[in-house]
Amino acid sequence: MLFYGSQVIGISWDESIHEESLVEYFQSGWLVPRAYFGQGLPDAAYTVVYGPVALIFLQLGGAVLGVHSWFGSSFSAAAFESRHLFVAILSLVAIFSVFVIARLLWRSWRWAILALAVVFSIPLWVGHSMFNVKDLPVAAGFTLFTLGLVLMSRDTHFAKARWWALIGVTLGSIIAVGSRPGIWVALLASTLGTFSLLLLIDARTRGMQEAVKRSVFGVLSVSSGFMLALVLLWVVYPAVFHNPPQLLWSSVSASRTFVLDGGSTLTAGSELAANPPWTYIPLWLGAQLPLLVIITAVTGLLGLLITYVARLASSGHAETWVRGGIPIALQAIVVPVASLVLGSTLYGGLRQLLFIYPAIALLSVLGIFNVGKYIDESSRQIHKQALWIGIVIGLLFPFVSQWRLFPYNFAHFNPVAATQNINESWDVDGWWLSGRELVENQMFPERTFCVESAARPLADCDKIPVIEPY
């Protein structure tokens, strides 16, 4: 479904803009559309919000397939299908990371396969994995980075594991920061949070000196991988990465406030501005996540917190899933909490926070694990059977929903949200991805007006980038 959908879904607004940015990058070294230049200088905010790594990967993929030249631009339907294909491949980087993390935490192939089932049961993730050239690469890089932290968090360190952890951190940083520079703050918070919380646990079991030594070693290892990533990014995008301190500072400010055309997002029946209230993220998560994932992810997060505090109080050794669960939880909650506190720009649903969904899937598996363990210890076998029947049903329903919506899987809303009229309550296809189907099925009336935005209310439909290739 993921790969076939990437070939039949339409083009989103942002894709043509990013292709124009890549053309300018090849010509002048700036990843900025020509329209965002003034007096020969690129827009300062635009230069630090996006990076070229993912776009270069998509460009190379299309060149290898023979769809377009190595350094030339192409706005043909075949070129966009090629980019979508390689977006789906990038999605597999995140999915593979989820699989490996689950295998490490529970030392079981069955739990790793369950983690795959849960992440694929999230329609928004599968849907955006078909086309989202902006946010999917950040999610892939962040999840690969978290895999590196999970490897470093284990109580027993192996030399080979440390090297794999360093590779994960470095590659994850290259993909994530090289696609969205401002994400470095989340990677830093996840790193410091992970080793600070592990230090508290280790201090009770190994002594403060050994705990500090282990945590400092972990932070330095991650830092070395991140610095290596910055050096490689400087080679790829010297116009921006030649001054890392300035870039890291300005990218955070620009990413927090960046929005091209302002506007609002229809959320639970209300039009919310691009700096929405604190309810924005909980409402969208509660509406679009499958009910099973919501319940089990909350259970997993609470179980992780309670178990961590219990191990801290008892001076007992923390299980592998507790230690490895820390960076997973941080990936899921750090940026949403920071967005609420700082009043960051959010619009178009939660596509800008796409990287939290692989972590939510792992927290969901953690919740299932904790409930299953509790039933094993205190209940009869029939209760365990009932649990797994409920899990299968909970995974089956979102799959059926995705099958019905295909290829617009991202437009899924769970049964609770669907008690309202979806079209009157939520933004569904703000990216115009259904434009291809509209054109190819010849559903245009004789007189059709295409509304681009409030700034450009009417346009010639066959000149709009999301429709023109078809």
PDB file of all heavy atoms in Angstrom, residues 94 98 102 106 111 114-122 125 289 292-294 296-297 300 328 331-332 355-368 395:
ATOM      1  N   ALA A  94      12.966   4.796   9.008  1.00  0.00           N
ATOM      2  CA  ALA A  94      12.319   4.947  10.313  1.00  0.00           C
ATOM      3  C   ALA A  94      11.676   3.645  10.768  1.00  0.00           C
ATOM      4  O   ALA A  94      11.778   3.253  11.937  1.00  0.00           O
ATOM      5  CB  ALA A  94      11.275   6.060  10.254  1.00  0.00           C
ATOM      6  N   VAL A  98      12.449   1.391  14.104  1.00  0.00           N
ATOM      7  CA  VAL A  98      11.440   0.950  15.071  1.00  0.00           C
ATOM      8  C   VAL A  98      11.568  -0.547  15.318  1.00  0.00           C
ATOM      9  O   VAL A  98      11.526  -1.022  16.468  1.00  0.00           O
ATOM     10  CB  VAL A  98      10.023   1.308  14.565  1.00  0.00           C
ATOM     11  CG1 VAL A  98       8.952   0.588  15.372  1.00  0.00           C
ATOM     12  CG2 VAL A  98       9.799   2.811  14.618  1.00  0.00           C
ATOM     13  N   ALA A 102      12.656  -2.232  18.989  1.00  0.00           N
ATOM     14  CA  ALA A 102      11.802  -3.205  19.688  1.00  0.00           C
ATOM     15  C   ALA A 102      12.550  -4.506  19.922  1.00  0.00           C
ATOM     16  O   ALA A 102      12.417  -5.123  20.998  1.00  0.00           O
ATOM     17  CB  ALA A 102      10.530  -3.445  18.876  1.00  0.00           C
ATOM     18  N   TRP A 106      13.121  -5.832  23.899  1.00  0.00           N
ATOM     19  CA  TRP A 106      12.441  -7.021  24.415  1.00  0.00           C
ATOM     20  C   TRP A 106      13.115  -8.332  24.008  1.00  0.00           C
ATOM     21  O   TRP A 106      12.639  -9.396  24.388  1.00  0.00           O
ATOM     22  CB  TRP A 106      10.975  -7.008  23.968  1.00  0.00           C
ATOM     23  CG  TRP A 106      10.222  -5.913  24.657  1.00  0.00           C
ATOM     24  CD1 TRP A 106       9.823  -5.887  25.956  1.00  0.00           C
ATOM     25  CD2 TRP A 106       9.794  -4.671  24.087  1.00  0.00           C
ATOM     26  NE1 TRP A 106       9.177  -4.718  26.231  1.00  0.00           N
ATOM     27  CE2 TRP A 106       9.141  -3.944  25.113  1.00  0.00           C
ATOM     28  CE3 TRP A 106       9.890  -4.096  22.820  1.00  0.00           C
ATOM     29  CZ2 TRP A 106       8.595  -2.687  24.896  1.00  0.00           C
ATOM     30  CZ3 TRP A 106       9.350  -2.846  22.621  1.00  0.00           C
ATOM     31  CH2 TRP A 106       8.704  -2.153  23.646  1.00  0.00           C
ATOM     32  N   TRP A 111       7.925  -9.348  19.405  1.00  0.00           N
ATOM     33  CA  TRP A 111       7.632  -7.976  19.810  1.00  0.00           C
ATOM     34  C   TRP A 111       8.095  -6.980  18.747  1.00  0.00           C
ATOM     35  O   TRP A 111       7.488  -5.924  18.558  1.00  0.00           O
ATOM     36  CB  TRP A 111       8.285  -7.670  21.159  1.00  0.00           C
ATOM     37  CG  TRP A 111       7.562  -8.332  22.286  1.00  0.00           C
ATOM     38  CD1 TRP A 111       7.882  -9.508  22.894  1.00  0.00           C
ATOM     39  CD2 TRP A 111       6.358  -7.872  22.909  1.00  0.00           C
ATOM     40  NE1 TRP A 111       6.963  -9.814  23.870  1.00  0.00           N
ATOM     41  CE2 TRP A 111       6.013  -8.821  23.900  1.00  0.00           C
ATOM     42  CE3 TRP A 111       5.547  -6.762  22.739  1.00  0.00           C
ATOM     43  CZ2 TRP A 111       4.890  -8.690  24.715  1.00  0.00           C
ATOM     44  CZ3 TRP A 111       4.420  -6.624  23.539  1.00  0.00           C
ATOM     45  CH2 TRP A 111       4.105  -7.575  24.509  1.00  0.00           C
ATOM     46  N   LEU A 114       5.384  -6.996  16.203  1.00  0.00           N
ATOM     47  CA  LEU A 114       4.253  -6.234  16.716  1.00  0.00           C
ATOM     48  C   LEU A 114       4.492  -4.730  16.555  1.00  0.00           C
ATOM     49  O   LEU A 114       3.574  -3.979  16.222  1.00  0.00           O
ATOM     50  CB  LEU A 114       4.005  -6.573  18.186  1.00  0.00           C
ATOM     51  CG  LEU A 114       2.876  -5.795  18.859  1.00  0.00           C
ATOM     52  CD1 LEU A 114       1.539  -6.080  18.181  1.00  0.00           C
ATOM     53  CD2 LEU A 114       2.794  -6.114  20.347  1.00  0.00           C
ATOM     54  N   ALA A 115       5.732  -4.293  16.796  1.00  0.00           N
ATOM     55  CA  ALA A 115       6.062  -2.868  16.614  1.00  0.00           C
ATOM     56  C   ALA A 115       5.827  -2.439  15.161  1.00  0.00           C
ATOM     57  O   ALA A 115       5.322  -1.339  14.903  1.00  0.00           O
ATOM     58  CB  ALA A 115       7.512  -2.607  17.020  1.00  0.00           C
ATOM     59  N   LEU A 116       6.182  -3.306  14.206  1.00  0.00           N
ATOM     60  CA  LEU A 116       5.903  -3.006  12.802  1.00  0.00           C
ATOM     61  C   LEU A 116       4.406  -2.876  12.564  1.00  0.00           C
ATOM     62  O   LEU A 116       3.951  -1.964  11.866  1.00  0.00           O
ATOM     63  CB  LEU A 116       6.462  -4.107  11.897  1.00  0.00           C
ATOM     64  CG  LEU A 116       7.973  -4.215  11.735  1.00  0.00           C
ATOM     65  CD1 LEU A 116       8.311  -5.311  10.733  1.00  0.00           C
ATOM     66  CD2 LEU A 116       8.560  -2.892  11.270  1.00  0.00           C
ATOM     67  N   ALA A 117       3.636  -3.801  13.132  1.00  0.00           N
ATOM     68  CA  ALA A 117       2.183  -3.771  12.945  1.00  0.00           C
ATOM     69  C   ALA A 117       1.591  -2.478  13.482  1.00  0.00           C
ATOM     70  O   ALA A 117       0.704  -1.877  12.867  1.00  0.00           O
ATOM     71  CB  ALA A 117       1.544  -4.978  13.638  1.00  0.00           C
ATOM     72  N   VAL A 118       2.094  -2.026  14.628  1.00  0.00           N
ATOM     73  CA  VAL A 118       1.544  -0.814  15.242  1.00  0.00           C
ATOM     74  C   VAL A 118       1.894   0.421  14.416  1.00  0.00           C
ATOM     75  O   VAL A 118       1.036   1.273  14.160  1.00  0.00           O
ATOM     76  CB  VAL A 118       2.044  -0.659  16.694  1.00  0.00           C
ATOM     77  CG1 VAL A 118       1.591   0.677  17.272  1.00  0.00           C
ATOM     78  CG2 VAL A 118       1.521  -1.796  17.565  1.00  0.00           C
ATOM     79  N   VAL A 119       3.159   0.537  13.976  1.00  0.00           N
ATOM     80  CA  VAL A 119       3.533   1.737  13.213  1.00  0.00           C
ATOM     81  C   VAL A 119       2.797   1.782  11.881  1.00  0.00           C
ATOM     82  O   VAL A 119       2.403   2.856  11.403  1.00  0.00           O
ATOM     83  CB  VAL A 119       5.069   1.811  13.022  1.00  0.00           C
ATOM     84  CG1 VAL A 119       5.569   0.826  11.982  1.00  0.00           C
ATOM     85  CG2 VAL A 119       5.488   3.232  12.647  1.00  0.00           C
ATOM     86  N   PHE A 120       2.544   0.630  11.258  1.00  0.00           N
ATOM     87  CA  PHE A 120       1.783   0.610  10.015  1.00  0.00           C
ATOM     88  C   PHE A 120       0.294   0.817  10.242  1.00  0.00           C
ATOM     89  O   PHE A 120      -0.446   1.083   9.294  1.00  0.00           O
ATOM     90  CB  PHE A 120       2.017  -0.700   9.263  1.00  0.00           C
ATOM     91  CG  PHE A 120       3.252  -0.681   8.395  1.00  0.00           C
ATOM     92  CD1 PHE A 120       4.306  -1.541   8.645  1.00  0.00           C
ATOM     93  CD2 PHE A 120       3.349   0.185   7.325  1.00  0.00           C
ATOM     94  CE1 PHE A 120       5.442  -1.528   7.852  1.00  0.00           C
ATOM     95  CE2 PHE A 120       4.478   0.204   6.520  1.00  0.00           C
ATOM     96  CZ  PHE A 120       5.528  -0.653   6.783  1.00  0.00           C
ATOM     97  N   SER A 121      -0.157   0.668  11.489  1.00  0.00           N
ATOM     98  CA  SER A 121      -1.574   0.881  11.779  1.00  0.00           C
ATOM     99  C   SER A 121      -1.902   2.358  11.948  1.00  0.00           C
ATOM    100  O   SER A 121      -3.069   2.709  12.126  1.00  0.00           O
ATOM    101  CB  SER A 121      -1.969   0.128  13.056  1.00  0.00           C
ATOM    102  OG  SER A 121      -1.537   0.828  14.223  1.00  0.00           O
ATOM    103  N   ILE A 122      -0.896   3.234  11.916  1.00  0.00           N
ATOM    104  CA  ILE A 122      -1.119   4.672  12.057  1.00  0.00           C
ATOM    105  C   ILE A 122      -1.296   5.257  10.654  1.00  0.00           C
ATOM    106  O   ILE A 122      -0.321   5.460   9.923  1.00  0.00           O
ATOM    107  CB  ILE A 122       0.057   5.341  12.791  1.00  0.00           C
ATOM    108  CG1 ILE A 122       0.234   4.721  14.181  1.00  0.00           C
ATOM    109  CG2 ILE A 122      -0.171   6.844  12.900  1.00  0.00           C
ATOM    110  CD1 ILE A 122       1.424   5.268  14.956  1.00  0.00           C
ATOM    111  N   TRP A 125       0.867   8.224   9.369  1.00  0.00           N
ATOM    112  CA  TRP A 125       2.257   7.897   9.045  1.00  0.00           C
ATOM    113  C   TRP A 125       2.364   7.284   7.652  1.00  0.00           C
ATOM    114  O   TRP A 125       3.195   7.698   6.842  1.00  0.00           O
ATOM    115  CB  TRP A 125       2.842   6.945  10.095  1.00  0.00           C
ATOM    116  CG  TRP A 125       4.184   6.446   9.714  1.00  0.00           C
ATOM    117  CD1 TRP A 125       4.499   5.249   9.142  1.00  0.00           C
ATOM    118  CD2 TRP A 125       5.430   7.151   9.827  1.00  0.00           C
ATOM    119  NE1 TRP A 125       5.847   5.155   8.890  1.00  0.00           N
ATOM    120  CE2 TRP A 125       6.441   6.310   9.308  1.00  0.00           C
ATOM    121  CE3 TRP A 125       5.775   8.398  10.328  1.00  0.00           C
ATOM    122  CZ2 TRP A 125       7.771   6.689   9.272  1.00  0.00           C
ATOM    123  CZ3 TRP A 125       7.116   8.778  10.294  1.00  0.00           C
ATOM    124  CH2 TRP A 125       8.094   7.928   9.771  1.00  0.00           C
ATOM    125  N   LEU A 289      -5.056   9.510  15.652  1.00  0.00           N
ATOM    126  CA  LEU A 289      -4.435   8.251  16.053  1.00  0.00           C
ATOM    127  C   LEU A 289      -5.501   7.173  16.240  1.00  0.00           C
ATOM    128  O   LEU A 289      -6.595   7.463  16.747  1.00  0.00           O
ATOM    129  CB  LEU A 289      -3.664   8.426  17.361  1.00  0.00           C
ATOM    130  CG  LEU A 289      -2.280   9.070  17.294  1.00  0.00           C
ATOM    131  CD1 LEU A 289      -1.747   9.286  18.700  1.00  0.00           C
ATOM    132  CD2 LEU A 289      -1.317   8.208  16.491  1.00  0.00           C
ATOM    133  N   LEU A 292      -6.658   2.230  19.695  1.00  0.00           N
ATOM    134  CA  LEU A 292      -5.759   1.291  20.358  1.00  0.00           C
ATOM    135  C   LEU A 292      -4.414   1.952  20.644  1.00  0.00           C
ATOM    136  O   LEU A 292      -3.862   1.807  21.740  1.00  0.00           O
ATOM    137  CB  LEU A 292      -5.545   0.048  19.493  1.00  0.00           C
ATOM    138  CG  LEU A 292      -4.469  -0.925  19.998  1.00  0.00           C
ATOM    139  CD1 LEU A 292      -4.958  -1.658  21.231  1.00  0.00           C
ATOM    140  CD2 LEU A 292      -4.053  -1.917  18.910  1.00  0.00           C
ATOM    141  N   VAL A 293      -3.900   2.696  19.682  1.00  0.00           N
ATOM    142  CA  VAL A 293      -2.594   3.342  19.850  1.00  0.00           C
ATOM    143  C   VAL A 293      -2.664   4.409  20.937  1.00  0.00           C
ATOM    144  O   VAL A 293      -1.740   4.533  21.756  1.00  0.00           O
ATOM    145  CB  VAL A 293      -2.111   3.936  18.513  1.00  0.00           C
ATOM    146  CG1 VAL A 293      -0.819   4.721  18.704  1.00  0.00           C
ATOM    147  CG2 VAL A 293      -1.903   2.835  17.476  1.00  0.00           C
ATOM    148  N   ILE A 294      -3.742   5.190  20.968  1.00  0.00           N
ATOM    149  CA  ILE A 294      -3.884   6.215  22.003  1.00  0.00           C
ATOM    150  C   ILE A 294      -3.853   5.587  23.385  1.00  0.00           C
ATOM    151  O   ILE A 294      -3.084   5.998  24.271  1.00  0.00           O
ATOM    152  CB  ILE A 294      -5.195   7.000  21.815  1.00  0.00           C
ATOM    153  CG1 ILE A 294      -5.157   7.812  20.524  1.00  0.00           C
ATOM    154  CG2 ILE A 294      -5.440   7.930  23.011  1.00  0.00           C
ATOM    155  CD1 ILE A 294      -6.465   8.517  20.203  1.00  0.00           C
ATOM    156  N   THR A 296      -2.916   2.510  24.448  1.00  0.00           N
ATOM    157  CA  THR A 296      -1.710   1.764  24.824  1.00  0.00           C
ATOM    158  C   THR A 296      -0.483   2.669  24.927  1.00  0.00           C
ATOM    159  O   THR A 296       0.398   2.419  25.748  1.00  0.00           O
ATOM    160  CB  THR A 296      -1.439   0.629  23.822  1.00  0.00           C
ATOM    161  OG1 THR A 296      -1.395   1.155  22.488  1.00  0.00           O
ATOM    162  CG2 THR A 296      -2.543  -0.422  23.904  1.00  0.00           C
ATOM    163  N   ALA A 297      -0.399   3.729  24.103  1.00  0.00           N
ATOM    164  CA  ALA A 297       0.745   4.640  24.189  1.00  0.00           C
ATOM    165  C   ALA A 297       0.718   5.411  25.507  1.00  0.00           C
ATOM    166  O   ALA A 297       1.767   5.590  26.151  1.00  0.00           O
ATOM    167  CB  ALA A 297       0.751   5.599  23.007  1.00  0.00           C
ATOM    168  N   GLY A 300       1.726   2.989  28.091  1.00  0.00           N
ATOM    169  CA  GLY A 300       3.169   2.750  28.036  1.00  0.00           C
ATOM    170  C   GLY A 300       3.966   3.881  28.644  1.00  0.00           C
ATOM    171  O   GLY A 300       4.934   3.646  29.377  1.00  0.00           O
ATOM    172  N   ILE A 328      13.041   7.053  23.707  1.00  0.00           N
ATOM    173  CA  ILE A 328      11.804   6.919  22.922  1.00  0.00           C
ATOM    174  C   ILE A 328      10.760   7.911  23.423  1.00  0.00           C
ATOM    175  O   ILE A 328      10.129   8.628  22.631  1.00  0.00           O
ATOM    176  CB  ILE A 328      11.268   5.474  23.018  1.00  0.00           C
ATOM    177  CG1 ILE A 328      12.239   4.506  22.361  1.00  0.00           C
ATOM    178  CG2 ILE A 328       9.883   5.371  22.381  1.00  0.00           C
ATOM    179  CD1 ILE A 328      11.937   3.053  22.651  1.00  0.00           C
ATOM    180  N   GLN A 331      11.654  11.459  22.405  1.00  0.00           N
ATOM    181  CA  GLN A 331      11.351  11.747  21.006  1.00  0.00           C
ATOM    182  C   GLN A 331       9.876  12.091  20.833  1.00  0.00           C
ATOM    183  O   GLN A 331       9.517  12.944  20.015  1.00  0.00           O
ATOM    184  CB  GLN A 331      11.712  10.561  20.114  1.00  0.00           C
ATOM    185  CG  GLN A 331      11.387  10.806  18.631  1.00  0.00           C
ATOM    186  CD  GLN A 331      11.764   9.633  17.734  1.00  0.00           C
ATOM    187  OE1 GLN A 331      12.534   8.763  18.119  1.00  0.00           O
ATOM    188  NE2 GLN A 331      11.205   9.596  16.534  1.00  0.00           N
ATOM    189  N   ALA A 332       9.021  11.436  21.611  1.00  0.00           N
ATOM    190  CA  ALA A 332       7.583  11.641  21.464  1.00  0.00           C
ATOM    191  C   ALA A 332       7.085  12.921  22.121  1.00  0.00           C
ATOM    192  O   ALA A 332       6.116  13.526  21.648  1.00  0.00           O
ATOM    193  CB  ALA A 332       6.828  10.441  22.038  1.00  0.00           C
ATOM    194  N   PHE A 355       7.698  13.215  13.145  1.00  0.00           N
ATOM    195  CA  PHE A 355       8.719  12.369  13.763  1.00  0.00           C
ATOM    196  C   PHE A 355       8.281  11.785  15.108  1.00  0.00           C
ATOM    197  O   PHE A 355       8.934  10.875  15.626  1.00  0.00           O
ATOM    198  CB  PHE A 355      10.013  13.153  13.948  1.00  0.00           C
ATOM    199  CG  PHE A 355       9.852  14.422  14.727  1.00  0.00           C
ATOM    200  CD1 PHE A 355       9.850  14.416  16.101  1.00  0.00           C
ATOM    201  CD2 PHE A 355       9.704  15.633  14.068  1.00  0.00           C
ATOM    202  CE1 PHE A 355       9.689  15.595  16.808  1.00  0.00           C
ATOM    203  CE2 PHE A 355       9.554  16.808  14.762  1.00  0.00           C
ATOM    204  CZ  PHE A 355       9.539  16.793  16.148  1.00  0.00           C
ATOM    205  N   ILE A 356       7.196  12.258  15.680  1.00  0.00           N
ATOM    206  CA  ILE A 356       6.763  11.686  16.964  1.00  0.00           C
ATOM    207  C   ILE A 356       6.047  10.356  16.779  1.00  0.00           C
ATOM    208  O   ILE A 356       5.955   9.563  17.723  1.00  0.00           O
ATOM    209  CB  ILE A 356       5.858  12.659  17.757  1.00  0.00           C
ATOM    210  CG1 ILE A 356       4.491  12.818  17.092  1.00  0.00           C
ATOM    211  CG2 ILE A 356       6.540  14.005  17.932  1.00  0.00           C
ATOM    212  CD1 ILE A 356       3.524  13.671  17.889  1.00  0.00           C
ATOM    213  N   TYR A 357       5.561  10.062  15.586  1.00  0.00           N
ATOM    214  CA  TYR A 357       4.716   8.879  15.401  1.00  0.00           C
ATOM    215  C   TYR A 357       5.462   7.551  15.534  1.00  0.00           C
ATOM    216  O   TYR A 357       4.927   6.605  16.125  1.00  0.00           O
ATOM    217  CB  TYR A 357       3.965   8.979  14.071  1.00  0.00           C
ATOM    218  CG  TYR A 357       2.898  10.045  14.108  1.00  0.00           C
ATOM    219  CD1 TYR A 357       3.168  11.337  13.673  1.00  0.00           C
ATOM    220  CD2 TYR A 357       1.638   9.787  14.627  1.00  0.00           C
ATOM    221  CE1 TYR A 357       2.209  12.338  13.737  1.00  0.00           C
ATOM    222  CE2 TYR A 357       0.659  10.769  14.701  1.00  0.00           C
ATOM    223  CZ  TYR A 357       0.956  12.048  14.258  1.00  0.00           C
ATOM    224  OH  TYR A 357       0.006  13.034  14.339  1.00  0.00           O
ATOM    225  N   PRO A 358       6.683   7.400  15.013  1.00  0.00           N
ATOM    226  CA  PRO A 358       7.403   6.146  15.298  1.00  0.00           C
ATOM    227  C   PRO A 358       7.617   5.930  16.794  1.00  0.00           C
ATOM    228  O   PRO A 358       7.512   4.794  17.294  1.00  0.00           O
ATOM    229  CB  PRO A 358       8.739   6.340  14.564  1.00  0.00           C
ATOM    230  CG  PRO A 358       8.434   7.298  13.466  1.00  0.00           C
ATOM    231  CD  PRO A 358       7.427   8.240  14.048  1.00  0.00           C
ATOM    232  N   ALA A 359       7.905   7.010  17.541  1.00  0.00           N
ATOM    233  CA  ALA A 359       8.079   6.892  18.992  1.00  0.00           C
ATOM    234  C   ALA A 359       6.763   6.545  19.668  1.00  0.00           C
ATOM    235  O   ALA A 359       6.729   5.744  20.626  1.00  0.00           O
ATOM    236  CB  ALA A 359       8.646   8.195  19.558  1.00  0.00           C
ATOM    237  N   ILE A 360       5.667   7.121  19.197  1.00  0.00           N
ATOM    238  CA  ILE A 360       4.349   6.782  19.757  1.00  0.00           C
ATOM    239  C   ILE A 360       4.044   5.312  19.534  1.00  0.00           C
ATOM    240  O   ILE A 360       3.493   4.628  20.407  1.00  0.00           O
ATOM    241  CB  ILE A 360       3.267   7.683  19.133  1.00  0.00           C
ATOM    242  CG1 ILE A 360       3.392   9.110  19.678  1.00  0.00           C
ATOM    243  CG2 ILE A 360       1.872   7.134  19.405  1.00  0.00           C
ATOM    244  CD1 ILE A 360       2.453  10.105  19.028  1.00  0.00           C
ATOM    245  N   ALA A 361       4.405   4.791  18.355  1.00  0.00           N
ATOM    246  CA  ALA A 361       4.191   3.368  18.078  1.00  0.00           C
ATOM    247  C   ALA A 361       4.959   2.497  19.076  1.00  0.00           C
ATOM    248  O   ALA A 361       4.436   1.492  19.584  1.00  0.00           O
ATOM    249  CB  ALA A 361       4.601   3.033  16.648  1.00  0.00           C
ATOM    250  N   LEU A 362       6.197   2.873  19.390  1.00  0.00           N
ATOM    251  CA  LEU A 362       6.992   2.101  20.349  1.00  0.00           C
ATOM    252  C   LEU A 362       6.426   2.230  21.763  1.00  0.00           C
ATOM    253  O   LEU A 362       6.429   1.249  22.525  1.00  0.00           O
ATOM    254  CB  LEU A 362       8.446   2.574  20.309  1.00  0.00           C
ATOM    255  CG  LEU A 362       9.242   2.100  19.084  1.00  0.00           C
ATOM    256  CD1 LEU A 362      10.518   2.913  18.918  1.00  0.00           C
ATOM    257  CD2 LEU A 362       9.563   0.614  19.195  1.00  0.00           C
ATOM    258  N   LEU A 363       5.932   3.414  22.127  1.00  0.00           N
ATOM    259  CA  LEU A 363       5.280   3.556  23.434  1.00  0.00           C
ATOM    260  C   LEU A 363       4.018   2.701  23.501  1.00  0.00           C
ATOM    261  O   LEU A 363       3.678   2.157  24.566  1.00  0.00           O
ATOM    262  CB  LEU A 363       4.932   5.025  23.684  1.00  0.00           C
ATOM    263  CG  LEU A 363       6.103   5.961  23.988  1.00  0.00           C
ATOM    264  CD1 LEU A 363       5.599   7.399  24.116  1.00  0.00           C
ATOM    265  CD2 LEU A 363       6.829   5.549  25.275  1.00  0.00           C
ATOM    266  N   SER A 364       3.331   2.567  22.387  1.00  0.00           N
ATOM    267  CA  SER A 364       2.141   1.708  22.330  1.00  0.00           C
ATOM    268  C   SER A 364       2.513   0.258  22.604  1.00  0.00           C
ATOM    269  O   SER A 364       1.844  -0.436  23.381  1.00  0.00           O
ATOM    270  CB  SER A 364       1.475   1.839  20.960  1.00  0.00           C
ATOM    271  OG  SER A 364       0.397   0.947  20.829  1.00  0.00           O
ATOM    272  N   VAL A 365       3.592  -0.215  21.975  1.00  0.00           N
ATOM    273  CA  VAL A 365       4.056  -1.587  22.231  1.00  0.00           C
ATOM    274  C   VAL A 365       4.470  -1.738  23.688  1.00  0.00           C
ATOM    275  O   VAL A 365       4.207  -2.769  24.323  1.00  0.00           O
ATOM    276  CB  VAL A 365       5.225  -1.937  21.291  1.00  0.00           C
ATOM    277  CG1 VAL A 365       5.763  -3.333  21.595  1.00  0.00           C
ATOM    278  CG2 VAL A 365       4.775  -1.858  19.842  1.00  0.00           C
ATOM    279  N   LEU A 366       5.092  -0.716  24.246  1.00  0.00           N
ATOM    280  CA  LEU A 366       5.481  -0.741  25.650  1.00  0.00           C
ATOM    281  C   LEU A 366       4.250  -0.869  26.551  1.00  0.00           C
ATOM    282  O   LEU A 366       4.262  -1.605  27.547  1.00  0.00           O
ATOM    283  CB  LEU A 366       6.258   0.529  25.991  1.00  0.00           C
ATOM    284  CG  LEU A 366       6.785   0.689  27.410  1.00  0.00           C
ATOM    285  CD1 LEU A 366       7.664  -0.487  27.803  1.00  0.00           C
ATOM    286  CD2 LEU A 366       7.556   1.995  27.544  1.00  0.00           C
ATOM    287  N   GLY A 367       3.175  -0.165  26.191  1.00  0.00           N
ATOM    288  CA  GLY A 367       1.941  -0.286  26.957  1.00  0.00           C
ATOM    289  C   GLY A 367       1.352  -1.675  26.878  1.00  0.00           C
ATOM    290  O   GLY A 367       0.898  -2.240  27.890  1.00  0.00           O
ATOM    291  N   ILE A 368       1.360  -2.266  25.683  1.00  0.00           N
ATOM    292  CA  ILE A 368       0.861  -3.642  25.525  1.00  0.00           C
ATOM    293  C   ILE A 368       1.708  -4.595  26.348  1.00  0.00           C
ATOM    294  O   ILE A 368       1.191  -5.509  27.016  1.00  0.00           O
ATOM    295  CB  ILE A 368       0.870  -4.035  24.036  1.00  0.00           C
ATOM    296  CG1 ILE A 368      -0.118  -3.174  23.252  1.00  0.00           C
ATOM    297  CG2 ILE A 368       0.528  -5.523  23.865  1.00  0.00           C
ATOM    298  CD1 ILE A 368      -0.013  -3.326  21.746  1.00  0.00           C
ATOM    299  N   LEU A 395      -5.901  -3.290  15.748  1.00  0.00           N
ATOM    300  CA  LEU A 395      -5.009  -3.101  14.608  1.00  0.00           C
ATOM    301  C   LEU A 395      -5.739  -3.266  13.278  1.00  0.00           C
ATOM    302  O   LEU A 395      -5.369  -2.667  12.270  1.00  0.00           O
ATOM    303  CB  LEU A 395      -3.849  -4.100  14.675  1.00  0.00           C
ATOM    304  CG  LEU A 395      -2.847  -3.914  15.813  1.00  0.00           C
ATOM    305  CD1 LEU A 395      -1.851  -5.068  15.837  1.00  0.00           C
ATOM    306  CD2 LEU A 395      -2.106  -2.591  15.672  1.00  0.00           C
TER     307      LEU A 395
END
